[in-house]
Amino acid sequence: MSGDGRTITTLESRAPCQQDPPRLVASESHNSVTLELQESDVDLRPQCNRIDEKITTKLQSPLGTRRLVDAGDGWTIAPFVQKRLANPRYLPPGYSPATHLQWSDFSQHDLLPPFIRTQRSGPAWTRFYHRASAKASLSITQIAGKLTVSAAGAPESIHGWTGGLTPDSNNTVTWTNGTYTFIVNTTDQDLHEAELLRIAKQLTPKA
């Protein structure tokens, strides 16, 4: 949720060659705001690499103390407020903000929160970055709460907290400071482990 409480953003996974972009629609009342994700039908064209895409809607008035509700299942959504967001002080040369992330190996996607969410999932915020000259992508996710995320390889110290690097087709650095869990992930095979760790170690966490 944006700092002024009026802009709500969520993540949606889709195959861009099979589906038109979805719409996030908000229905407002005095006590609640109900969010509905309106998606197009899937057609029969060949499958393509899936993307995670940011979908946004703007409220008529700030959310305030109103309950935020998922129209699909009736769950109460705990939004991640922008002022709590840690800021990256380093990005690799050529990287800039993007609206989506493309996955070449979608099996890895299923292992990473907040892409798979449940009723007990904590508030989360994900930002995407890419290099204009390539399809490579980078994401930084911050989740409220301490999650247990498995990681192979040698432990890494990040801001004095123990983290882990998972080297695979989607390199991932994960760590928690007890208040938030952070996940820095890349599908760029040219973005080496040292660079990924540098991004993580220069991500300034909020208290």
Side-chain angles (χ1 to χ4, degrees):
M1 183 173 64
S2 62
D4 64 3
R6 294 190 61 191
T7 301
I8 306 293
T9 302
T10 190
L11 291 179
E12 175 64 7
S13 297
R14 69 182 180 95
C17 62
Q18 290 187 306
Q19 295 170 285
D20 294 329
R23 296 174 60 238
L24 184 63
V25 178
S27 300
E28 300 186 51
S29 71
H30 178 71
N31 296 316
S32 65
V33 174
T34 300
L35 297 178
E36 180 183 6
L37 195 64
Q38 297 181 351
E39 301 176 272
S40 64
D41 294 332
V42 177
D43 64 30
L44 299 178
R45 283 176 288 181
Q47 180 65 273
C48 60
N49 288 341
R50 297 183 66 84
I51 63 171
D52 280 311
E53 188 173 35
K54 293 194 291 186
I55 312 298
T56 297
T57 190
K58 196 171 186 67
L59 304 182
Q60 295 179 3
S61 59
L63 178 65
T65 59
R66 291 183 294 175
R67 179 174 171 240
L68 194 61
V69 181
D70 187 327
D73 47 35
W75 291 352
T76 297
I77 302 170
F80 193 110
V81 182
Q82 187 175 19
K83 66 181 180 180
R84 302 174 186 163
L85 192 61
N87 296 311
R89 291 183 289 117
Y90 172 78
L91 290 173
Y95 269 86
S96 60
T99 59
H100 68 273
L101 182 148
Q102 180 172 321
W103 292 80
S104 57
D105 181 0
F106 208 71
S107 64
Q108 296 297 322
H109 173 282
D110 295 342
L111 304 177
L112 293 174
F115 304 117
I116 302 301
R117 297 184 61 76
T118 69
Q119 189 173 6
R120 300 177 63 184
S121 297
W125 190 305
T126 296
R127 287 164 291 179
F128 301 133
Y129 305 88
H130 74 131
R131 291 186 302 172
S133 61
K135 294 182 179 179
S137 295
L138 170 73
S139 69
I140 300 176
T141 295
Q142 183 176 342
I143 307 168
K146 182 178 179 179
L147 300 183
T148 300
V149 183
S150 62
E156 296 286 344
S157 177
I158 301 171
H159 298 294
W161 300 90
T162 300
L165 173 68
T166 303
D168 49 35
S169 56
N170 297 292
N171 288 330
T172 304
V173 176
T174 62
W175 76 100
T176 180
N177 63 5
T179 302
Y180 299 106
T181 298
F182 299 90
I183 303 172
V184 180
N185 175 269
T186 184
T187 58
D188 184 353
Q189 297 304 300
D190 294 324
L191 191 59
H192 299 298
E193 295 176 6
E195 283 282 86
L196 198 64
L197 287 168
R198 184 177 177 184
I199 296 168
K201 292 178 179 181
Q202 295 196 40
L203 182 66
T204 305
K206 298 294 177 68

